[in-house]
Structures are given as C-alpha cells and as structure tokens.
Amino acid sequence: MSLSSLLEDIQVEILLKLPASSVLACKYVCKLWFTLVSKPEFIKNHHHRAIQRNSDRKLLLSHYDSTRPGDEKPAISSIDYASILPLSLSSDYECDGEIPVDYPISPFRQEDVKFLRILGSCNGLICLGIVTYDCDATRICIWNPTTKEYKQIPRCGSPSSDKNWSYAKYGFGFDNNSDDYKVVRIPWDNYCESSVIQVYTMGSDSWHEVQTIPYWLRWQERSSLPFFNGALHWLGYTTQGTSSDFIVSFELSNERLAQLPFPEKNRKDWDDSEKVFTSVGVLRDCNCLNIGYTDDHIDIWVMQDYGVPESWTKRFTFSINLHDLMCCRPIWSFENGDILLDGFSNFFIYDPRSGKVRMAMPIRHSYKSRDVEFYVESLVSVKSNTCLKKLIKMKLEGVRMNLEGAN
C-alpha cells in the first residue's frame, strides 16, 4: 500500500511526525503534499509538535571562523540536540556535531561582512544583524535557517540611528494577538536615563516608536533580549529616590512596559557580597536571574510563577574558578538535571548533584563565540505573513474604491 492511497488525514498525520527538513523534501513529491504542507494550519501544528520534541532542538552559534589564521571571518554554526545530549552523560567535553550554516548575505559578499550578531530567535526564525566593511549601519534580516528564506527589513529611521549597535539592545518575538512578528530596538547610552523603544512589525514592514523608557538600562554582554511569555526582558534600574534594580518586561501584544522585582531574599546577600554581573534569561520555561559575585560564586534564581515576586526561588549556587564563568548564563536543562552554561567564549556543564562545573563543547576552528540561541527547525515563512496582509489591504482598498465609484 502506497502513502497516496491512504486517507488525507492519515497522510497529514504522517507528515506532521517528520522533521522540517524532511517535510521540505516531501513538499515536491506530489501536488497533494505540496498543498497539505503549505497550509498555515499544518505549519503551525508541525511547529507545535517540534517544540514538544527535544530531539528537534538545535543550538545556533555566531562566532569567528579561524581556520585561516590572520583572516578570521564571521561565521554561523549549528549543533543538533543529539550532539549536545552526550555532553551531560560523560566526562568528554568535545562535540562532533558542529555544522557550518550559510547565512543570508545578499546583496553583499560574505567577505564584506565585518560583524555578525544573532539578535533573537522565535518559532524557528532568527533575527540577524549584519555590518559590512563599507557601511557601519546595521542591516537586520529575519531568516529561517531551515527553508533558507530571509527578509531584510528597512532601516530604523535615519542611517545614523543604526550605527554602532554595541549601544543598542535588540529583541525578536511573536505577537499572538496580531499573529505577527516584531523586532524591538532600544538605543543604549551610559549617560542617558531614558530611551525610546523602536518597534518593527513584519506585517506592515515598518518601524514605529512606542514610548520613552524612564530609567537606565543595565549593561549586558549580549545584544539580544530574551523572549518569554509573550514579552521581551532586560535589566533596568532607577536613581530616583532609593536606587533599585528590577527586570523590565515589554509585552509585544500591547507594547507596554512592566517591572518584575528582584528576589527580596537576595538583598541581604548583596549587602554581604558585592555582585559584579547580573543577567536575565529563561530556564525550564521560567524567567531566571543569574548573579555573579566578587567572591567567585554564582546564584541562579528562578521565578516559578511568572509575575509573582514571592515565587522567586534560588535554584542553584556554585563556585567558579574561571573568568569565563563569571558572565555565564544557563541556556539548557538536560533530563538528568545537568545545566548547560554559556560562558560567552566557552560552554560548561553544571552538575547540581555534585555541585561541580566542567568545560564542555569548545567551538572548533573558531574563537570567542559571540551569540548563542536555541531554535527549533520550522516551516514558518518570513514572507507569507507580510504578503498576505498587504494583499488583504490592497483588496480592501479596491473594494472601498469600487463602493465610492458606485455612489
């Protein structure tokens, strides 16, 4: 019995179980499969199932390729879950699954690329920032590494506003209310206690300014802002009255700011030991706060109930003896409880049972990883959303003009 002889619903169920790369191959087997896997409902269901399967997760790294000493070039590599998993099961720290990934470079050449940053990841789409030698302005692309589709988005305001991206924070996420993707840019200045939030919406293919942030932004190693629970998060503080630190939440649906307080139980710890590094992230589907201290230890706090200050729990505390670990952040929790830590230039495994930290997964033929993001291969298109909305807008405009003509 061939697959084509099965009921359509059964064929869909079989296709839904395949990895995204296999579905892409099946797409051109016959007209029926092309139609089935192109439907928005299929793409959404396929991505939902992929999220549930750890085996479909991949780690995306931006770094410098140093295979040619003295001529290092920005590069992107991908590591699948099957290659990451053994790191938590043995003392070996090398990873054999690193695969170079071609990234979008049109309309310029790869040798023209000066800087390359991963500015966010959501639903299998990657937000990339690219700077070339001939132009200091940041070009931003929304890219699907699986389908190879990409879209270069327009510049935010004047060309000068896109320069020197080390003084801007970026976020990328999905707005469930409008069924659309958004890029958020926040200019960052050491000497300015306020900043305007700039938002790009993929459906309208345009930028707009939302509001002024009435407090300072804490400096962090990473340019990207973690996306969780429909909101982007970063660290902020105010000097008005009593100086205080907090997590800033920017909800993409209503484009409003909110504040999530730091764990109150940690205030006493700060009095006894000076903190030197703080970062916010996501661990086990919860907001987490990573705090490094001058006495060479790190605390990892987890907010078990989102938005509930009383739910902060100190999940891990461990000592460190390497500089790379001072700025580490947890990025993955293995089934056996081990935690994968990103130390900016190296990776580490933390074993909560023994309290020990060991090196893991050096990036071969490269040095100093710049950005790290997990993503799930998906069939989500970076073009269909925009094209569909523009088509609807054009049709509505045509209907309006016809009605006016009839009157």
Side-chain angles (χ1 to χ4, degrees):
M1 179 184 293
S2 64
L3 283 176
S4 59
S5 64
L6 297 175
L7 293 175
E8 188 174 304
D9 289 347
I10 297 178
Q11 294 184 54
V12 169
E13 189 63 28
I14 294 173
L15 292 169
L16 283 172
K17 296 179 182 295
L18 299 177
S21 55
S22 298
V23 174
L24 285 176
C26 293
K27 188 175 183 178
Y28 301 99
V29 170
C30 62
K31 290 183 178 180
L32 174 61
W33 283 8
F34 184 92
T35 301
L36 292 178
V37 303
S38 299
K39 291 181 178 179
E41 183 180 2
F42 178 90
I43 294 174
K44 184 177 294 186
N45 290 337
H46 183 274
H47 181 68
H48 178 73
R49 293 197 182 194
I51 292 176
Q52 310 305 315
R53 298 190 297 262
N54 285 333
S55 58
D56 286 354
R57 288 181 178 260
K58 292 192 174 185
L59 197 64
L60 198 69
L61 315 168
S62 71
H63 55 93
Y64 279 96
D65 183 354
S66 59
T67 53
R68 296 177 296 176
D71 189 26
E72 293 83 4
K73 296 296 183 183
I76 291 183
S77 295
S78 174
I79 304 176
D80 59 26
Y81 181 76
S83 299
I84 300 172
L85 184 60
L87 296 174
S88 68
L89 304 176
S90 69
S91 58
D92 294 335
Y93 67 90
E94 291 190 355
C95 179
D96 296 325
E98 182 187 343
I99 300 174
V101 178
D102 290 330
Y103 57 90
I105 56 174
S106 178
F108 35 85
R109 298 173 303 171
Q110 187 166 351
E111 53 265 32
D112 295 332
V113 177
K114 183 179 181 181
F115 296 117
L116 179 65
R117 304 301 299 267
I118 300 176
L119 304 178
S121 172
C122 180
N123 294 346
L125 301 183
I126 306 296
C127 185
L128 279 184
I130 302 173
V131 172
T132 56
Y133 285 99
D134 64 337
C135 181
D136 289 335
T138 304
R139 294 178 171 93
I140 299 178
C141 293
I142 300 176
W143 166 52
N144 186 326
T146 306
T147 65
K148 309 303 180 185
E149 277 188 350
Y150 71 95
K151 173 182 174 60
Q152 184 173 324
I153 71 176
R155 287 177 175 173
C156 177
S158 62
S160 60
S161 66
D162 291 330
K163 291 186 177 181
N164 202 347
W165 62 6
S166 61
Y167 292 97
K169 298 298 179 185
Y170 293 86
F172 177 59
F174 184 70
D175 181 350
N176 285 305
N177 287 354
S178 63
D179 196 29
D180 210 344
Y181 292 89
K182 294 181 177 181
V183 177
V184 174
R185 182 182 185 273
I186 306 172
W188 179 78
D189 191 334
N190 261 332
Y191 305 99
C192 183
E193 194 172 357
S194 64
S195 187
V196 176
I197 299 178
Q198 300 162 326
V199 180
Y200 166 81
T201 304
M202 193 161 74
S204 63
D205 195 29
S206 62
W207 289 87
H208 64 276
E209 293 185 351
V210 178
Q211 66 181 99
T212 300
I213 307 172
Y215 36 73
W216 300 78
L217 275 71
R218 285 288 186 194
W219 180 86
Q220 293 190 95
E221 292 279 359
R222 306 289 170 180
S223 294
S224 61
L225 306 174
F227 178 68
F228 174 69
N229 203 44
L232 296 167
H233 301 82
W234 64 91
L235 297 175
Y237 71 102
T238 178
T239 57
Q240 297 178 0
T242 304
S243 178
S244 60
D245 298 81
F246 45 82
I247 297 174
V248 182
S249 168
F250 181 68
E251 298 181 16
L252 292 189
S253 59
N254 55 26
E255 297 186 350
R256 291 180 182 177
L257 290 168
Q259 294 182 15
L260 302 177
F262 274 19
E264 285 298 326
K265 294 179 181 178
N266 204 41
R267 299 295 178 182
K268 183 179 182 301
D269 295 340
W270 292 349
D271 293 336
D272 299 334
S273 179
E274 183 182 355
K275 64 181 185 299
V276 294
F277 179 80
T278 309
S279 66
V280 61
V282 180
L283 180 65
R284 294 176 179 171
D285 294 328
C286 293
N287 265 119
C288 71
L289 191 64
N290 321 303
I291 306 172
Y293 297 92
T294 53
D295 61 355
D296 296 335
H297 84 274
I298 290 179
D299 291 340
I300 298 179
W301 291 74
V302 173
M303 180 178 270
Q304 294 177 317
D305 295 322
Y306 185 79
V308 181
E310 296 77 17
S311 69
W312 278 114
T313 303
K314 187 188 293 188
R315 184 62 58 85
F316 308 113
T317 297
F318 54 90
S319 300
I320 57 176
N321 54 12
L322 293 171
H323 176 73
D324 287 344
L325 269 168
M326 180 55 69
C327 301
C328 78
R329 59 167 182 155
I331 58 174
W332 181 255
S333 177
F334 293 99
E335 293 180 1
N336 65 357
D338 286 358
I339 306 295
L340 180 63
L341 302 170
D342 172 23
F344 192 64
S345 60
N346 282 299
F347 293 90
F348 302 87
I349 296 288
Y350 167 62
D351 182 352
R353 297 171 297 278
S354 65
K356 294 182 178 180
V357 179
R358 54 187 171 84
M359 186 176 287
M361 200 167 53
I363 302 174
R364 297 183 177 184
H365 309 303
S366 64
Y367 68 92
K368 201 167 187 179
S369 169
R370 284 181 166 268
D371 298 298
V372 180
E373 290 283 353
F374 266 105
Y375 78 102
V376 175
E377 287 191 339
S378 77
L379 304 169
V380 176
S381 173
V382 300
K383 298 180 180 180
S384 61
N385 189 299
T386 302
C387 295
L388 178 60
K389 292 196 173 188
K390 285 186 176 180
L391 179 61
I392 293 174
K393 185 177 181 180
M394 291 174 58
K395 286 187 176 180
L396 289 175
E397 183 65 19
V399 171
R400 184 185 65 79
M401 294 178 64
N402 289 334
L403 289 176
E404 290 178 352
N407 293 332

